[in-house]
Amino acid sequence: MSYLKDFPNPEGYFGEFGGAFLPPELEPHFAEINHAYRTLARSGDFLNELRYIRKHYQGRPTPVYYAHNLSRSVGAHIYLKREDLNHSGAHKLNHCMGEALLAKHMGKRKLIAETGAGQHGVALATAAAYFGMECEIHMGEIDIAKEAPNVTRMKLMGAQVVPVSFGGRSLKEAVDSAFQSYLSQADEALFAIGSVVGPHPFPLMVRNFQSVVGIEAREQYLEMSGGELPDHVVACIGGGSNAMGMFAGFIEDAQVQLNGVEPLGRGTKLGEHSATMTYGKPGMIHGFKCMLLADAEGNPAPVHSIASGLDYPGVGPEHSYLKTTERVAYHAINDDAALDAFYQLSRTEGIIPALESAHAVAWAMKHGRENPGTTILANLSGRGDKDIDYVAREFGHG
Ligand SMILES: *Cc1c(COP(=O)(O)O)cnc(C)c1O
């Protein structure tokens, strides 16, 4: 496993991407996080505790399922890694549990984060409840109104939801607000980033916590297929954590083609999509370098996707790097195709996917139709319960 050991380098770079561009007052805190993680990642106690949590609390390993009806209708073999069955309904708990365990070992008593649609906030509130920690989630007022069920879930689990009422009152302002709050209490709190983004060491830590997905899936697939590997592995990409977790299990298998799927939204013009890899260029956001969708002044551009977990104008630095080496192929799937996959998977298999995950399923269906007989393992990053009211109201029952 040399790639995962060699990347990122000690300064947190994947080629030209990554790094840590921090206000000076945060530098010592990130140095402390980095040191703690490096030490704990090698500690048997830490790894055993994480293993215990995954098995007895999260319900891991999640299964790999051969989607036999969908496969028959497409004419190729589609397998699903069922992260929708991970406790709290998505892959995000994998890294939130890791981050919370790190915080505990660092002697912190509080977790702070921002959330957009509320998925990261819910996963972090879950982890905080498990460890008996305080949890402070910053969320734009617009998102609070849109995502009421997730706000309720966070509050039920004891998190404090801080409404953000300045600027666009959405994700970007929530990040600023959470960072500001963290600055004033960094001695006792950990800022828990929600994907393979942000300053080093978060892209490294979150990838490693998520790699359980790919490691399990590889073993399960080998067992189901009698020793074969899939032709393709595919996952959707917002920041890129579920995809990096999945890819980590297969990155040394040169014969397995890795595919990341970004949202093409409702069109190819800036503001209509969130396809960072396809239309972005190198830039800087939230303290790290990556591919970025920027406006004429170089500021992060407005983005859109039917899946709110995918609409981020940046992307993880490791994905930015893996595009330059061409180890991973990046594709874009639009809202209509994702919606069609959402209906198809629900109808044919009785599995309602998150709209985010439906992007990966849509690519698997499209590629399978064009390449009959091919084998595709798709990461079903989350369940679609959070999306059913919106989909039924806007588009009907399919
Ligand atoms: C948040 C979320 C995503 C996008 O996040 P990544 O870091 O790109 O994985 C994808 N799927 C689901 C279900 C999510 O909740």
Side-chain angles (χ1 to χ4, degrees), residues 4 7 14 196 203-211 244 318:
L4 296 175
F7 289 90
F14 304 86
V196 285
L204 163 71
M205 290 197 312
V206 171
R207 174 195 76 190
N208 289 354
F209 289 139
Q210 286 294 349
S211 65
M244 258 343 292
E318 190 162 16

Side-chain angles (χ1 to χ4, degrees), residues 90-92 119 195 236-242 309-310 354 356-357 381-382:
H91 71 288
K92 283 196 175 74
Q119 296 296 101
S195 187
C236 67
I237 300 202
S241 66
N242 87 86
L310 302 182
E356 290 81 5
S357 324
S381 55

Side-chain angles (χ1 to χ4, degrees), residues 3-15 17-19 38 200-201 203-205 207-208 318:
Y3 169 83
L4 296 175
K5 282 219 163 63
D6 292 345
F7 289 90
N9 77 5
E11 284 73 48
Y13 280 91
F14 304 86
F17 300 105
R38 294 257 169 204
H200 179 65
L204 163 71
M205 290 197 312
R207 174 195 76 190
N208 289 354
E318 190 162 16

Side-chain angles (χ1 to χ4, degrees), residues 179-188:
F179 231 76
Q180 216 46 49
S181 175
Y182 172 60
L183 268 176
S184 68
Q185 46 186 331
D187 284 332
E188 55 200 30

Side-chain angles (χ1 to χ4, degrees), residues 34 79 96 148 214 251 296 358:
N34 202 6
Y79 293 76
C96 284
I251 201 146

Side-chain angles (χ1 to χ4, degrees), residues 264-266 306 333-343 359 362 395:
L264 189 56
R266 51 171 98 93
I306 194 172
I333 284 287
N334 67 20
D335 285 353
D336 289 346
L339 197 58
D340 178 57
F342 176 93
Y343 286 128
H359 285 72
F395 307 101

